[in-house]
Amino acid sequence: MGKSQKKRSMRRHNPVRVPDSHLPKGLAAASSSSNKTEAVLPIIKKIENADPLERKWACVAVSNLIHNDPSTRRLLQGKNVVGTLIGRLTDSEEEVVVEAAGALRNLCIDGGYEICAEMYNKNILAPLATFIPKISSVLSQYVDSPKTASENAQKVVYEFSENVITILWCLSETSNKALNAVNDLMLVPFLMAFLSSRDRLPLTTVTSAAQCLYVLTDDNPPVGDEIRANLSYVSCLLEISKVRGAPDVKDKTSAAEERAVALGILGCGILRNLAPFPPPSSIASVDLDKEILLPALLPAVSSVSLQEATDAVRGFVQLQSEKSEGNDKDLKHSPRPDHKSEEELGLERVETSLRTVQLALEILTGVCATLPDPVLDPSIDDDDDDVFVSGDADDSAMDETPDEPMALDEATSHNSTPAPLFLPTLLEPLLALIQPTELSFSAPSPHPPTTSALGAIHMASFECLSNAFFALAAAPAAAASDVQAGQRVWAAVWAALAAVGSPADAAPGSARAAVWDVAVGVLWGVGAVWPGQIAPEEAQVQALVALCDARRDDAVRVKCVGALAALAQHPHPASLDANRIIASYLLALLAPGRTGTETMLQAVESLIDIFADEGAPAEANFRAGNVLAALAGAVEDVRRAVKGIDRKKEGGRELRRHGEEVRDNLVAFVRYRRALGV
């Protein structure tokens, strides 16, 4: 079985609050889909007006126009709103600078990679770099002597700091080039100052600093090394991580508590990014996962009800709609007041709660990913390939291969870490969090940020389950006896997928398609822990075949093949028809050009597993389907595919090694089966 998908192939961006991938590209399309087209051009002009009040008003208006409105945001982008606002960061009036930073911050959060890349390319880091020492100086003054400035002045500085920090956080996830540029700003002392003074600063600003640090410590050695080398920084993070409790979406007065929980979860995430810690740090001898992370993370994912969150959002949206009737004309051409309604605050609290759960799940996904990387033998020569022949050749060409097919994971099993003992505690909340609500994939959504957050939670929950079961597969004895648990997880995943919809109906790149792609990894993991224990159902087999055929991504297709193999191994005579259908499909995947190399290799592994026992009921299908001849005939094609793997590409060396193992096992299996003479 392949290794778990425990490493991200790209940097993780803060969740886009209003996904707009469904919108057509181009300025004309944005103009036709926005109901605020007439307001855009006057606002763009006013950003550069001679009157500072007009400039300030226009910056505020940009934030209002893009609120939950990706069409208008794209229309503003087409009018160079990013470049115009960056120009206002050097405005002579401080209030204009503050509002411009706020508008850019909101564009970052609502726009994602594309708009952040545009900001980086238009050199937003130059003015931002000048703000950091100024903010540090004022922050130190306010912390040491809080009475030196009015409450309103402090509020402006803290909000401005939050805006600058959030922009930096978003930029650091845009590209490696942007990340390196942010690293050059040496932000660790700046950000840690907010965390160290958290009891004297607004929680929202401190949380933004923690979020930025969480991103910057993710696989980023310069920042990680700097923090690990400072014992006071580590101690501060350790204190922050000691959070207990969970956000409660039903409690309308819990905004501060929810932000405090979010800060604690971020502290956990930063510590996990930084681990392991070298002595003399006191945390070096601590079991980070068991003693610090799990006690904080498990309550966060166990105490939230997605259905209650959905019901709360529907209630707030309904009240908003009722109150807004008759007020549209008054608010249409002017910025909204800073004061937020109870409904807006309620929606924000729900979103904060859901995003905190998502963050906790992301960290838990890393905790669950306990499979080690395989140990590669550097002595293996790239050209050290035996020549294998098809089934029509003499068996002597296979004489140097083992008499018995070796276990596919035998070479690395001694490096496997114990299965996560916390899984039984984590299982129930995860199975609840994968179940969609009526808002999870709603289009159009009555509240897009909630829909986005729910989709992200489903994805993170599936990823967490996937890694957990791959970890269990490395040491299956801990779970193999509890067959009912595996069957219950299998049923829960299919129940969730039924609510998501058919894979054939999920548009490529959509949230529904993404859920299918990650959920099938859970099915593969369950099948690996409990092979032969899951009874196949015709609809499930058809869905997995349809998904495999619909995808061109080898990673997804490998999962599909693994899940199908788990069903094909069910030994009951009633399952023989499914075994025959699956085996026939997997054999077809061995044809040259039919699929990618990784999928071909997984199909070979799966067929060996399915027909490993010549005394099993499936032997009848093995003989009737002439599987041995088909496998023997595929040896040469597999050999060529393995030989064609480029070790110089990312992951190529590992794939080549794995391919050579599969090739050897295929040859050994064919020889062993022929030797049986049955």
Side-chain angles (χ1 to χ4, degrees):
M1 184 180 103
K3 59 182 292 190
S4 65
Q5 303 296 314
K6 68 176 181 177
K7 293 183 179 178
R8 289 190 290 268
S9 60
M10 60 186 296
R11 296 196 63 80
R12 180 190 52 77
H13 183 69
N14 56 301
V16 179
R17 297 183 68 244
V18 188
D20 59 1
S21 57
H22 64 284
L23 293 176
K25 303 292 184 181
L27 187 58
S31 180
S32 63
S33 59
S34 171
N35 60 4
K36 302 171 185 174
T37 304
E38 295 180 1
V40 167
L41 194 56
I43 287 175
I44 292 291
K45 290 181 178 179
K46 286 187 177 183
I47 294 177
E48 297 180 314
N49 194 287
D51 185 348
L53 290 177
E54 291 288 324
R55 298 199 299 273
K56 176 185 174 183
W57 181 94
C59 292
V60 174
V62 169
S63 294
N64 295 335
L65 285 174
I66 68 170
H67 184 68
N68 290 352
D69 190 346
S71 295
T72 302
R73 185 187 70 243
R74 288 188 170 188
L75 188 58
L76 283 163
Q77 280 182 263
K79 301 295 184 181
N80 192 32
V81 70
V82 170
T84 305
L85 286 171
I86 290 175
R88 291 307 96 208
L89 292 179
T90 54
D91 198 281
S92 57
E93 294 290 331
E94 288 188 359
E95 290 186 353
V96 176
V97 174
V98 170
E99 296 301 343
L104 287 164
R105 176 253 191 199
N106 290 341
L107 283 167
C108 277
I109 290 179
D110 277 348
Y113 284 113
E114 177 186 347
I115 211 161
C116 291
E118 183 183 352
M119 290 182 187
Y120 173 75
N121 291 333
K122 292 182 176 177
N123 201 25
I124 192 176
L125 283 177
L128 292 183
T130 67
F131 297 147
I132 294 171
K134 294 177 182 178
I135 293 174
S136 296
S137 177
V138 175
L139 176 67
S140 177
Q141 178 185 349
Y142 286 175
V143 169
D144 295 338
S145 307
K147 296 182 180 180
T148 56
S150 67
E151 184 176 338
N152 184 63
Q154 293 187 46
K155 180 175 181 291
V156 170
V157 170
Y158 294 144
E159 289 180 354
F160 179 66
S161 301
E162 180 186 347
N163 291 336
V164 171
I165 290 169
T166 302
I167 295 171
L168 291 169
W169 144 32
C170 295
L171 287 174
S172 6
E173 297 192 295
T174 304
S175 66
N176 284 330
K177 184 184 293 185
L179 175 64
N180 291 334
V182 173
N183 282 345
D184 291 341
L185 298 179
M186 308 297 289
L187 291 178
V188 170
F190 172 71
L191 296 172
M192 285 302 308
F194 286 91
L195 272 57
S196 300
S197 304
R198 61 192 177 281
D199 56 336
R200 288 165 284 178
L201 298 173
L203 195 50
T204 52
T205 307
V206 176
T207 303
S208 294
Q211 178 69 73
C212 188
L213 205 57
Y214 173 57
V215 170
L216 288 175
T217 53
D218 181 16
D219 194 22
N220 186 20
V223 170
D225 293 343
E226 184 176 357
I227 296 176
R228 280 189 292 266
N230 191 312
L231 296 181
S232 65
Y233 290 169
V234 175
S235 298
C236 175
L237 292 169
L238 189 56
E239 291 175 7
I240 291 173
S241 69
K242 293 178 180 178
V243 63
R244 299 296 182 267
D248 184 355
V249 298
K250 295 181 294 182
D251 183 358
K252 297 181 181 180
T253 65
S254 63
E257 178 188 349
E258 290 163 8
R259 285 193 291 269
V261 173
L263 178 61
I265 299 298
L266 284 166
C268 292
I270 296 169
L271 287 176
R272 192 159 214 291
N273 287 344
L274 296 171
F277 294 87
S281 174
S282 59
I283 198 176
S285 60
V286 173
D287 186 333
L288 185 66
D289 289 351
K290 180 180 179 181
E291 298 179 33
I292 297 175
L293 301 188
L294 292 177
L297 300 175
L298 287 177
V301 301
S302 302
S303 303
V304 67
S305 166
L306 299 188
Q307 189 57 55
E308 288 179 3
T310 295
D311 293 342
V313 167
R314 284 193 173 279
F316 288 132
V317 169
Q318 179 64 31
L319 288 173
Q320 261 188 337
S321 177
E322 293 171 357
K323 288 185 177 181
S324 66
E325 292 180 6
N327 296 330
D328 290 344
K329 293 182 179 179
D330 297 334
L331 299 176
K332 186 174 183 180
H333 298 297
S334 62
R336 296 178 303 165
D338 291 337
H339 175 72
K340 295 180 180 179
S341 68
E342 280 298 314
E343 292 74 31
E344 288 177 310
L345 293 173
L347 289 170
E348 286 185 3
R349 284 194 293 270
V350 173
E351 185 184 358
T352 299
S353 301
L354 295 178
R355 292 301 184 190
T356 300
V357 172
Q358 179 196 349
L359 175 63
L361 287 168
E362 287 178 358
I363 301 168
L364 278 172
T365 298
V367 174
C368 290
T370 57
L371 281 182
D373 291 327
V375 178
L376 302 182
D377 185 355
S379 65
I380 297 177
D381 193 326
D382 286 2
D383 296 321
D384 186 20
D385 278 317
D386 295 328
V387 176
F388 298 102
V389 295
S390 70
D392 294 331
D394 189 271
D395 286 347
S396 62
M398 301 181 181
D399 281 348
E400 294 186 6
T401 60
D403 288 337
E404 299 284 345
M406 62 177 152
L408 295 182
D409 281 334
E410 185 177 344
T412 59
S413 61
H414 66 281
N415 289 323
S416 299
T417 57
L421 300 179
F422 60 88
L423 183 60
T425 306
L426 186 58
L427 197 57
E428 290 305 322
L430 288 180
L431 293 183
L433 293 175
I434 65 174
Q435 304 301 328
T437 75
E438 57 269 29
L439 288 186
S440 295
F441 304 103
S442 179
S445 171
H447 189 244
T450 296
T451 294
S452 174
L454 288 171
I457 285 175
H458 300 323
M459 288 287 293
S461 299
F462 275 121
E463 288 171 349
C464 194
L465 281 170
S466 181
N467 273 1
F469 284 113
F470 273 101
L472 282 174
S481 60
D482 192 0
V483 175
Q484 289 185 340
Q487 294 170 339
R488 186 157 48 87
V489 174
W490 186 274
V493 171
W494 281 106
L497 290 174
V500 171
S502 167
D505 298 334
S510 67
R512 295 178 188 272
V515 167
W516 268 99
D517 291 352
V518 69
V520 72
V522 181
L523 297 175
W524 183 22
V526 171
V529 176
W530 292 281
Q533 301 294 334
I534 309 296
E537 295 182 13
E538 183 180 356
Q540 295 176 2
V541 173
Q542 291 176 349
L544 290 170
V545 169
L547 180 63
C548 192
D549 286 340
R551 296 294 184 267
R552 292 296 173 262
D553 181 0
D554 249 1
V556 178
R557 303 187 81 178
V558 163
K559 298 175 191 175
C560 293
V561 170
L564 285 167
L567 295 176
Q569 293 179 67
H570 194 254
H572 197 278
S575 301
L576 285 180
D577 194 47
N579 172 280
R580 176 184 56 78
I581 292 170
I582 294 171
S584 177
Y585 178 72
L586 298 185
L587 285 170
L589 295 180
L590 303 185
R594 176 71 170 76
T595 186
T597 299
E598 291 181 69
T599 306
M600 172 192 273
L601 295 175
Q602 184 59 44
V604 171
E605 289 184 276
S606 295
L607 286 163
I608 292 173
D609 288 340
I610 291 168
F611 297 112
D613 183 4
E614 63 272 14
E619 182 68 12
N621 287 338
F622 184 82
R623 299 179 189 177
N626 206 12
V627 175
L628 178 58
L631 289 175
V635 168
E636 181 64 19
D637 293 326
V638 172
R639 187 197 69 79
R640 287 197 185 98
V642 172
K643 181 74 173 178
I645 297 172
D646 186 355
R647 290 193 178 191
K648 296 180 181 179
K649 291 184 177 180
E650 184 178 1
R653 188 163 177 257
E654 181 181 337
L655 179 59
R656 177 68 175 269
R657 174 187 173 278
H658 176 62
E660 289 167 353
E661 289 181 355
V662 174
R663 175 203 63 196
D664 292 348
N665 275 277
L666 175 60
V667 171
F669 181 78
V670 170
R671 185 177 186 278
Y672 169 72
R673 276 299 199 148
R674 285 177 174 172
L676 290 178
V678 293

